[in-house]
Amino acid sequence: MLRCTNLKTYLTDNLVPFGKQLKDYVKQNNLSVAIHIRNLKNGNSVDVNEDLEFYPLRIAKLPVAILIMQKVEDEELSLNTNIEIKDKDWDPTYGMLYSTIQKKFTVKFLLEEMLKKSDNTAFYTLMRQVNDKDIKKIIDYYSIDLNNVNINKRIKIDYGMITPKIMANALVSLYTSNVLEIKDSEYLLSLLVDTSFDIKKIADLPQDITVA
């Protein structure tokens, strides 16, 4: 999600010419991309290959973070709750938490490792705190196609292929605080902004744009 700091741009910006240029660029360069751009002030959007599906990778951890924060709000957990990492949680494929000898970490620490560093060990550890009912709730809320969802190996969610519009809905729900209280929404967004991935440099974006 890109956040524009100029709150009045929605009064003057017409997305139609930009959308045409974007589609032409994608077509001319034969790019396999799916793009969804939404103006949060008036709901206007630009879509390129909006029905094209991709594996969500790191962003699939966001719904899990939302579920954990809902449990914090319901006082089933707290950010200071210590959770033990089980043998089945250790995963060396992404993140460095797997290499530690420490066995217990707070929910807050695990959330930050999962969202800021995309740590898989933190992800699997937090996944054990949610159940099938929780997962079904988040799937229904974001209208994820159940045919593409697999809840199996090591209690993980495999969302299958997903469109950018669905994942945009998850980010927008935080931005507008529809699924969590304002302070908790802002907390998760702050973790997504402060990641170990230098997205601005990779995408050659201006420094005054906030990326989550």
Side-chain angles (χ1 to χ4, degrees):
M1 171 180 275
L2 305 183
R3 180 179 179 183
C4 181
T5 56
N6 186 349
L7 298 180
K8 295 184 178 180
T9 55
Y10 74 99
L11 295 174
T12 56
D13 286 354
N14 184 345
L15 292 179
V16 174
F18 171 71
K20 185 178 184 306
Q21 292 177 8
L22 189 59
K23 290 177 182 179
D24 289 343
Y25 180 84
V26 169
K27 183 177 181 180
Q28 290 169 6
N29 290 275
N30 195 29
L31 301 177
S32 178
V33 297
I35 301 171
H36 174 70
I37 300 172
R38 189 182 310 177
N39 186 328
L40 298 183
K41 295 296 181 179
N42 59 20
N44 288 340
S45 64
V46 170
D47 292 292
V48 178
N49 299 326
E50 60 270 23
D51 296 322
L52 192 62
E53 297 177 327
F54 291 90
Y55 191 76
L57 298 176
R58 172 178 172 265
I59 201 66
K61 295 179 171 73
L62 178 57
V64 175
I66 292 172
L67 286 172
I68 292 296
M69 289 307 300
Q70 286 179 339
K71 288 185 176 294
V72 171
E73 291 182 352
D74 293 338
E75 298 184 349
E76 296 178 32
L77 292 171
S78 82
L79 290 177
N80 294 321
T81 299
N82 281 302
I83 299 177
E84 183 178 358
I85 298 179
K86 304 292 187 181
D87 289 342
K88 63 182 178 181
D89 299 329
W90 300 109
D91 190 313
T93 57
Y94 218 96
M96 295 301 296
L97 194 55
Y98 76 93
S99 62
T100 183
I101 60 174
Q102 187 172 335
K103 293 290 187 178
K104 289 186 177 181
F105 295 93
T106 64
V107 168
K108 185 176 187 290
F109 178 85
L110 292 170
L111 278 172
E112 293 182 359
E113 289 294 300
M114 181 176 72
L115 292 186
K116 296 174 71 171
K117 301 179 182 178
S118 198
D119 193 287
N120 283 344
T121 299
F123 172 62
Y124 292 126
T125 304
L126 289 173
M127 271 301 303
R128 287 191 292 102
Q129 313 310 308
V130 303
N131 55 41
D132 289 357
K133 184 178 179 180
D134 297 324
I135 295 170
K136 177 66 163 53
K137 179 174 65 176
I138 208 79
I139 286 169
D140 288 343
Y141 185 82
Y142 293 122
S143 298
I144 298 173
D145 186 355
L146 282 174
N147 292 323
N148 284 337
V149 177
N150 188 20
I151 305 169
N152 51 24
K153 184 182 178 184
R154 292 163 52 171
I155 326 178
K156 81 168 184 177
I157 304 178
D158 181 357
Y159 292 100
M161 306 298 281
I162 230 167
T163 67
K165 200 175 284 189
I166 289 175
M167 293 318 298
N169 289 340
L171 287 166
V172 170
S173 70
L174 286 180
Y175 188 78
T176 56
S177 299
N178 287 332
V179 293
L180 296 171
E181 296 177 7
I182 293 176
K183 63 180 179 61
D184 296 326
S185 293
E186 291 181 346
Y187 170 60
L188 291 188
L189 283 172
S190 71
L191 298 184
L192 292 171
V193 169
D194 185 25
T195 71
S196 58
F197 305 92
D198 193 349
I199 299 175
K200 290 183 182 179
K201 183 177 180 180
I202 295 170
D204 194 23
L205 295 172
Q207 289 302 307
D208 60 347
I209 290 180
T210 302
V211 182

